[in-house]
């Protein structure tokens, strides 16, 4: 939610900031803006509604000089997405400009106090309150900018990653964070600042991840200065980035989403590298090995996540209960954090998050931690907030996922969780050695099998055209493939704006069956395993009511092929691994329907990839 970027150094800041905004656009694209201090000491702020390209067009004829600047791409929270509410925001005297990612919860009280002091407000945002508060503090307490930021933030309740410029100090860039991510890049006589490392990677691989309630002061010729908001000095910890520029480009694909779908054979190989050893028939997960006792003694596992990651958690529930025989509860982080759940010291909490920054999941972890539970996280972004606050975990290593709709992160989460279930099951002796061996060997085959499913892309693209008329879709599945049905429906909703619902196939008769007519496409995930025959009966029930069925089946299935309108085959595999294959056609189907409808696949309306507000 919102991307922030900053630069101070010898180069022209504007092109660096714009490029950075493009990289962060996945975080929000309601409006964009930039603030620069030029040689003459003027602080110029330019803003435009819509995407970064609109800002660039707006700035084409403007003075974009200056070697210090900040820029922002917005996902609207307070105030509608328009130019006035776009960031950066000036202070009353227009001496300061601020950008902000997060929400200031007590903005109304602070604003009322400032209005009493004669401050006026142009926008409806909480952010403008913050910059006014900093200026008010600076003026009334006669302190420098850093101290004013510290004092102002002491009064703030909420989440923030901010960056501030002061035109009377064009050699200083101040930033701070609490709850929203912030990374500093260290170059030669220059500093970069961003919500994640993607705007920084082409200039330096040396970064510092700023922690909650820390204020960072960046000045040319001086070392990075970090203090807490209470002015306690911190020692910066410089880390090396493991990110390459090519990972941030489309590599010949029309959209990041398609690239990421097609990357899955490789990304899953990367996720399993050094962990799944097919030759030795073994899985080694260091996060498990180092904390074996916590898992073996766990009375219960609570999985907490949002969106697609929550669906991966549901699949894990089936695998962990089947193989490790530990009761599992899967919780939406946003509900869990507020519903006073019973959490015990011997519970293991698994938090799943691609970005590692989702505010609700972070809060759920903090709650569980405060009750003494052990926190294990499955995360993709290395160094993000969630892995940093967890006791242990497992990175998925799929590289940056840029398409807002999650694809490759999902399959890697399922692989990581399956590996974990197998490690616990083997160690506890709750699964047979034969079962364990079969699944380990089969995991090694999954990348090739996904490759075979991807070979049907063209055919899926062809029949996807038939369904662009639809207003509604139903997705059905059972067992391990019920969460896949929900994930397929979510993908379609997110990027094509067609209403879709994922349902357990057997529940259809308790409601959704009333919706079925020849207008209603029904996607049925029906690989040959578990409750296959029962799902076939559900397909018959749909056909009897003239519904149109798209079925995902196991290769060689003759039964469903005869009754369904369209059939997509996936190779045979172990039941617990079927989601890794059955979800691929659903990702492709959603993608192609959205493309034919002319939707913005990588940046669907109203969504953002990293949800750092609750
Ligand atoms: C947003 C994204 C989804 C993602 C969810 C959870 O809604 O658009 O793709 O599944 O957040 O994000 P996380 O980073 O915690 O997995």
């Amino acid at each position: 939610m919102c991307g922030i970027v900053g630069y101070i150094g010898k180069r022209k800041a504007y092109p660096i900031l714009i490029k950075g905004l493009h990289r962060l656009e996945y975080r929000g694209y309601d409006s964009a803006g930039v603030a620069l201090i030029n040689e003459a000491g003027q602080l110029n702020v330019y803003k435009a509604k819509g995407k970064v390209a609109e800002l660039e067009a707006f700035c084409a004829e403007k003075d974009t000089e200056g070697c210090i600047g900040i820029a922002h791409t917005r996902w609207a929270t307070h105030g509608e997405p328009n130019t006035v509410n776009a960031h950066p925001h000036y202070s009353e005297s227009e001496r300061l400009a601020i950008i902000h990612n997060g929400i200031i919860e007590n903005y109304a009280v602070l604003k009322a106090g400032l209005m009493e002091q004669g401050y006026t407000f142009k926008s409806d945002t909480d952010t403008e309150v913050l910059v006014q508060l900093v200026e008010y503090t600076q003026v009334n307490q006669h302190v420098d900018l850093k101290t004013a930021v510290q004092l102002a933030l002491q009064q703030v309740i909420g989440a923030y990653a901010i960056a501030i410029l002061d035109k009377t100090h064009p050699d200083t860039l101040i930033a701070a964070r609490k709850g929203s991510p912030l990374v500093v890049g260290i170059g030669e006589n220059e500093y970069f600042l961003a919500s994640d490392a993607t705007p920084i990677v082409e200039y330096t691989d040396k970064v510092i991840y700023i922690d909650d309630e820390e204020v960072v002061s960046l000045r040319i010729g001086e070392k990075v200065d970090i203090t807490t908001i209470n002015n306690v000095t911190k020692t910066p910890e410089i880390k090396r980035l493991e990110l390459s520029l090519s990972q941030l480009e489309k590599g010949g694909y029309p959209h990041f989403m398609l690239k990421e779908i097609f990357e899955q054979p490789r990304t899953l190989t990367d996720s399993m590298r050094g962990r799944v050893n097919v030759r030795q028939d073994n899985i080694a997960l260091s996060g498990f090995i180092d904390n074996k006792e916590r898992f073996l003694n766990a009375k219960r596992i609570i999985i907490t996540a949002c969106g697609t990651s929550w669906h991966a958690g549901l699949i894990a529930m089936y695998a962990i209960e089947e193989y490790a025989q530990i009761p599992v509860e899967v919780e939406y982080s946003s509900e869990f954090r507020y519903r006073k759940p019973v959490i015990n010291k011997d519970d293991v909490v698994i938090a799943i998050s691609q970005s590692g920054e989702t505010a609700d999941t972070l809060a759920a972890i903090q709650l569980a931690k405060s009750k003494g539970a052990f926190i294990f996280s499955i995360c993709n972004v290395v160094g993000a907030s969630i892995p940093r606050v967890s006791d242990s975990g497992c990175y998925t290593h799929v590289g940056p996922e840029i398409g807002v709709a999650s694809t490759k992160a999902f399959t890697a989460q399922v692989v990581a969780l399956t590996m974990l279930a197998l490690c616990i099951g083997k160690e506890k002796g709750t699964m047979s050695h034969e079962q364990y061996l079969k699944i380990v060997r089969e995991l090694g085959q999954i990348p090739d099998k996904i490759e075979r499913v991807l070979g049907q892309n063209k055919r899926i693209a062809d029949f996807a055209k038939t369904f662009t008329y639809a207003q509604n879709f139903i997705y059905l599945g059972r067992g391990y493939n019920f969460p896949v049905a929900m994930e397929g429906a979510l993908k379609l909703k997110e990027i094509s704006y067609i209403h879709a619902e994922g349902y357990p196939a057997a529940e259809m008769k308790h409601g959704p069956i009333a919706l079925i007519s020849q207008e209603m496409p029904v996607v049925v995930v029906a690989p040959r395993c578990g409750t296959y025959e029962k799902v076939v009966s559900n397909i018959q029930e749909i056909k009897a009511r003239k519904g149109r069925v798209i079925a995902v089946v196991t290769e060689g299935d003759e039964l469903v092929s005869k009754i369904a309108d369209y059939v997509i085959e996936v190779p045979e595999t172990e039941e617990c691994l079927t989601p890794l294959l059955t979800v691929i056609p659903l990702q492709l189907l959603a993608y192609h329907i959205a493309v034919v409808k002319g939707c913005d696949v990588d940046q669907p309306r109203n969504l953002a990839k990293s949800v750092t507000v609750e």
Side-chain angles (χ1 to χ4, degrees):
M1 311 258 112
C2 302
I4 70 172
V5 52
Y7 175 78
I8 178 166
K10 297 269 176 286
R11 305 188 219 201
K12 204 174 165 216
Y14 179 74
I16 295 172
L17 296 174
I18 291 292
K19 208 173 200 185
L21 285 188
H22 279 296
R23 296 257 161 82
L24 293 176
E25 216 167 10
Y26 73 87
R27 300 178 67 85
Y29 26 81
D30 289 333
S31 63
V34 58
L36 298 148
I37 304 176
N38 66 14
E39 293 269 299
Q42 287 163 323
L43 173 56
N44 293 314
V45 172
Y46 307 118
K47 323 199 253 194
K49 183 172 181 253
K51 297 196 172 187
V52 179
E54 310 286 332
L55 175 68
E56 281 179 276
F58 180 74
C59 290
E61 304 295 315
K62 302 279 190 297
D63 169 12
T64 55
E65 290 305 314
C67 299
I68 174 169
I70 52 178
H72 186 269
T73 177
R74 178 169 187 245
W75 186 86
T77 52
H78 282 243
E80 66 170 278
N82 58 27
T83 316
V84 176
N85 289 331
H87 300 211
H89 291 284
Y90 278 124
S91 60
E92 187 78 14
S93 71
E94 300 198 351
R95 201 182 67 229
L96 308 180
I98 194 172
I99 50 173
H100 169 217
N101 163 209
I103 290 186
I104 308 302
E105 288 169 16
N106 60 338
Y107 80 100
V109 180
L110 297 171
K111 188 171 181 174
L114 288 161
M115 286 171 85
E116 269 174 33
Q117 301 298 325
Y119 278 71
T120 54
F121 290 83
K122 298 187 183 73
S123 76
D124 306 320
T125 65
D126 50 339
T127 305
E128 195 182 7
V129 177
L130 192 50
V131 72
Q132 302 279 45
L133 184 63
V134 173
E135 180 167 296
Y136 173 77
T137 312
Q138 227 183 350
V139 172
N140 284 278
Q141 304 206 28
H142 310 290
V143 290
D144 63 11
L145 181 62
K146 183 177 107 178
T147 311
V149 169
Q150 289 171 327
L151 295 173
L153 292 178
Q154 286 171 19
Q155 299 174 56
V156 158
I157 300 171
Y160 51 79
I162 54 165
I164 299 195
L165 293 181
D166 179 342
K167 71 174 175 186
T168 61
H169 289 97
D171 58 347
T172 309
L173 180 54
I174 304 277
R177 87 157 255 183
K178 184 182 177 191
S180 300
L182 189 62
V183 190
V184 170
I186 306 167
E188 290 287 325
N189 273 323
E190 60 185 352
Y191 291 116
F192 305 84
L193 193 73
S195 299
D196 70 28
T198 58
I200 297 175
V201 61
E202 65 193 275
Y203 309 105
T204 177
D205 64 352
K206 283 194 273 177
V207 293
I208 299 168
Y209 294 98
I210 305 303
D211 273 326
D212 275 353
E213 301 203 335
E214 285 182 353
V215 178
V216 55
S217 173
L218 303 172
R219 291 167 68 100
I220 293 301
E222 290 183 18
K223 288 198 168 148
V224 177
D225 167 88
I226 303 178
T227 55
T228 66
I229 60 171
N230 297 314
N231 204 27
V232 177
T233 304
K234 301 293 280 281
T235 311
E237 204 186 317
I238 300 174
K239 300 238 159 102
R240 290 234 167 249
L241 274 183
E242 286 173 20
L243 188 69
S244 73
L245 209 51
S246 64
Q247 289 177 304
L248 304 176
E249 282 154 7
K250 284 190 199 149
Y253 287 91
H255 298 99
F256 281 111
M257 183 179 176
L258 191 62
K259 175 189 173 215
E260 287 158 7
I261 292 173
F262 270 82
E263 272 177 340
Q264 289 174 106
R266 185 186 56 72
T267 52
L268 292 192
T269 306
D270 290 346
S271 295
M272 290 190 267
R273 183 167 297 120
R275 292 166 170 168
V276 177
N277 188 332
V278 179
R279 261 187 243 129
Q280 292 174 7
D281 289 325
N282 192 35
I283 297 177
L285 215 52
S286 60
F288 168 76
I289 296 167
D290 299 343
N291 302 282
K292 223 182 253 179
E293 296 310 315
R294 292 304 302 239
F295 285 96
L296 300 184
N297 296 329
K299 297 266 180 320
R300 177 174 65 153
I301 290 180
I302 301 169
I303 297 181
T304 184
C306 303
T308 288
S309 299
W310 185 78
H311 293 152
L314 278 182
I315 295 172
M317 174 177 78
Y318 287 84
I320 295 172
E321 293 200 335
E322 179 169 0
Y323 298 117
Q325 289 176 21
I326 302 172
V328 179
E329 288 164 23
V330 187
E331 302 271 359
Y332 283 117
S333 305
S334 52
E335 287 298 310
F336 183 67
R337 63 179 289 195
Y338 283 119
R339 70 167 177 71
K340 304 186 179 57
V342 178
I343 306 168
N344 301 313
K345 288 200 170 54
D346 48 14
D347 287 337
V348 168
V349 171
I350 303 179
I352 312 169
S353 175
Q354 185 286 128
S355 62
E357 299 294 349
T358 302
D360 285 320
T361 304
L362 204 48
I365 292 176
Q366 266 138 8
L367 173 70
K369 248 187 136 169
S370 72
K371 307 273 180 193
F374 177 77
I375 316 292
F376 184 91
S377 61
I378 308 272
C379 188
N380 189 39
V381 178
V382 176
S385 304
I386 288 178
R388 287 198 290 147
V389 299
S390 302
D391 297 305
S392 176
C394 169
Y395 281 116
T396 47
H397 293 309
V398 300
E401 189 181 63
I402 294 166
V404 165
S406 184
T407 52
K408 63 176 180 175
F410 172 75
T411 45
Q413 289 165 346
V414 173
V415 163
L417 290 155
T418 308
M419 292 191 291
L420 181 64
L422 296 177
C423 288
I424 310 173
K426 183 188 179 201
E427 202 64 36
K428 280 187 80 178
T430 43
M431 68 188 296
S432 73
H433 192 55
E434 290 68 47
Q435 257 179 330
Y436 177 83
L437 288 188
K438 263 209 244 152
I439 301 172
V440 172
R441 286 175 192 165
E442 200 47 39
L443 264 174
Q445 301 293 315
I446 288 294
D448 285 347
K449 292 189 174 178
I450 293 183
E451 203 77 69
R452 269 156 64 189
V453 183
L454 291 169
Q456 299 177 70
N457 178 46
K458 174 129 193 357
R459 205 168 65 79
I460 297 172
D462 284 345
F463 75 70
K465 293 184 196 128
T466 327
F467 292 102
T468 45
Y469 74 88
Q471 305 281 323
N472 298 287
F473 260 73
I474 295 180
Y475 286 69
L476 301 176
R478 283 192 82 162
Y480 282 94
N481 284 288
F482 158 49
V484 173
M486 292 208 282
E487 174 59 11
L490 179 64
K491 288 287 88 78
L492 189 72
K493 270 189 275 225
E494 283 179 308
I495 61 170
S496 74
Y497 317 139
I498 294 174
H499 169 248
E501 284 201 57
Y503 241 78
E507 279 292 302
M508 183 182 69
K509 55 187 173 293
H510 298 295
I513 199 163
L515 300 170
I516 290 172
S517 71
Q518 52 198 6
E519 252 78 84
M520 175 67 93
V522 184
V523 179
V524 188
V525 190
R528 209 174 320 99
C529 53
T531 46
Y532 170 74
E533 276 82 18
K534 296 184 194 308
V535 177
V536 173
S537 306
N538 296 136
I539 298 177
Q540 302 279 19
E541 288 155 15
I542 299 161
K543 287 313 298 174
R545 286 156 186 86
K546 300 198 165 39
R548 301 180 71 195
V549 173
I550 304 160
V552 179
V553 298
T554 305
E555 273 171 3
D557 185 316
E558 287 178 2
L559 193 56
V560 176
S561 310
K562 286 196 192 108
I563 42 178
D565 299 76
Y566 298 92
V567 164
I568 309 158
E569 293 191 340
V570 300
E572 187 153 13
T573 187
E574 288 295 310
E575 181 164 6
C576 65
L577 304 181
T578 53
L580 296 167
L581 304 182
T582 54
V583 77
I584 308 290
L586 306 193
Q587 295 171 343
L588 288 169
L589 181 67
Y591 171 78
H592 288 298
I593 292 177
V595 168
V596 181
K597 286 191 75 182
C599 299
D600 189 340
V601 174
D602 284 335
Q603 294 175 345
R605 70 182 179 210
N606 303 338
L607 297 181
K609 188 144 191 76
S610 185
V611 184
T612 52
V613 295
E614 43 171 308

